[in-house]
Amino acid sequence: MDPAQLAALPDGQDLRLARGDALFRAGDPPLGLVLVHRGALELRRVSAEGRLIVLHRAGPGDSFAEASLFEPRHHCDAVATAPSLVTVHAAAALRRAAAADPSIGWRLAAHLAARLVAERARAERLAQPRAADRLLDALHALPEDDDGLRHLGRSWKTLAAELGLTHEATYRALARLERAGLVRRDGRGGVRLAGPPA
Amino acid sequence: MDPAQLAALPDGQDLRLARGDALFRAGDPPLGLVLVHRGALELRRVSAEGRLIVLHRAGPGDSFAEASLFEPRHHCDAVATAPSLVTVHAAAALRRAAAADPSIGWRLAAHLAARLVAERARAERLAQPRAADRLLDALHALPEDDDGLRHLGRSWKTLAAELGLTHEATYRALARLERAGLVRRDGRGGVRLAGPPA
């Protein structure tokens, strides 16, 4: 299930946020499931010792605060880090609708299962100690066009941040993969991948 | 929702696996939602170019293959990497039960939402380029007992692997955090954390 299908859930309300606006704060009663259309939000909390921890960075097409549907309070703050447009599906209304219509919980579960698969794959990728392994797995995860070309869809700098690498480490890893013949950069801003040497 | 509640889902069947046994293979029709009680399984697939990619490592208390409930085929192999005991909730039976009982999809969604929150937090932690930051966030995420002590619940070596760090890098980062006064190791195999310097 993709966000477009989730958007067909009942009782959605569109909200615009300025940079720095909080959508909710830790301790607030649950607002509901949030879909991001434009902009960027951070879910963060401050540990007992005063350390700021970012739990999630949500961009266009992402959902978040799903767990709040099932809990009495938010456990983190949601703050816009750029001007943003979101849809909020109110928790109480969604809960009532789901009690009457079994397809709602099932569709929600389908959406969450797809997000979980993607996040697990991301975490496994990030758990690889070698920068070249992380980068190669991330490139393999990119969709391939009919011509065998994979498009980054973002800058190398953004990809580096997603991989928990510095810009420099990413370029060094890319150069290593190119020398090994595993990755070929294409002039059109994409890459081609080769299989491991036979 | 915790795995104990998920285990109350209908039509569970217990299965024992030897090391190397495949529970399912990519392309198989969906087996169902799997709960791991003992042992370890890897979800993996081979990319078009022949590269083995591990999508998920599941241990006791984990669930996996949730997405297969909503899809016509498995997209990866599930292989036991140790002797394992799992419960499988058959996809077709669960789908039928969920169409009649709205609480099933909702409980499944609650379970998936909790798993998603945990995986997102793990990925954010892993995305931090500095080993000391990753380690400190992982320590902050540990539950604290009444006495302010946090228990690893696993070896430093296992924690290192989860953080995508070598054993050596983890010990260096730990030493750095101790010197900075942010972490104190406790003789009883736990740690105490301090706030950032005022």
Side-chain angles (χ1 to χ4, degrees), chain A residues 31-104:
Chain A
L31 191 66
L33 171 65
V34 184
L35 304 183
V36 183
H37 303 294
R38 271 205 312 272
L41 288 97
E42 270 185 11
L43 271 74
R44 40 185 153 174
R45 64 183 176 77
V46 176
S47 78
E49 296 80 9
R51 186 176 169 77
L52 179 77
I53 296 173
V54 175
L55 301 167
H56 185 45
R57 280 166 238 264
D62 267 348
S63 64
F64 66 87
E66 301 89 350
S68 73
L69 296 177
F70 313 100
E71 289 175 0
R73 308 251 153 228
H74 284 290
H75 295 296
C76 59
D77 301 345
V79 179
T81 56
S84 300
L85 174 64
V86 303
T87 301
V88 177
H89 294 279
L94 206 50
R95 221 179 274 137
R96 271 196 308 275
D101 176 357
S103 83
I104 291 179

Side-chain angles (χ1 to χ4, degrees), chain A residues 115-128:
Chain A
R115 298 302 313 138
L116 183 57
V117 166
E119 281 297 329
R120 277 182 187 150
R122 183 174 162 233
E124 284 297 338
R125 196 177 303 145
L126 287 165
Q128 300 194 85

Side-chain angles (χ1 to χ4, degrees), chain B residues 63-159:
Chain B
S63 63
F64 67 85
E66 301 89 351
S68 73
L69 296 177
F70 313 100
E71 290 175 359
R73 308 250 154 230
H74 284 291
H75 294 297
C76 59
D77 301 343
V79 178
T81 56
S84 299
L85 174 65
V86 302
T87 301
V88 178
H89 293 280
L94 207 50
R95 221 179 275 136
R96 271 196 309 274
D101 176 356
S103 83
I104 291 180
W106 194 252
R107 282 154 62 201
L108 191 58
H111 167 77
L112 292 170
R115 298 302 313 139
L116 183 57
V117 167
E119 281 297 328
R120 277 181 186 150
R122 183 174 163 232
E124 284 298 338
R125 195 177 303 144
L126 287 165
Q128 300 193 84
R130 293 182 58 236
D133 287 336
R134 278 194 219 179
L135 180 58
L136 192 55
D137 272 6
L139 296 177
H140 275 274
L142 292 173
E144 202 176 359
D145 68 17
D146 293 342
D147 197 25
L149 190 68
R150 284 161 210 258
H151 298 274
L152 277 193
R154 48 210 185 284
S155 68
W156 286 99
K157 204 169 157 180
T158 301
L159 181 65

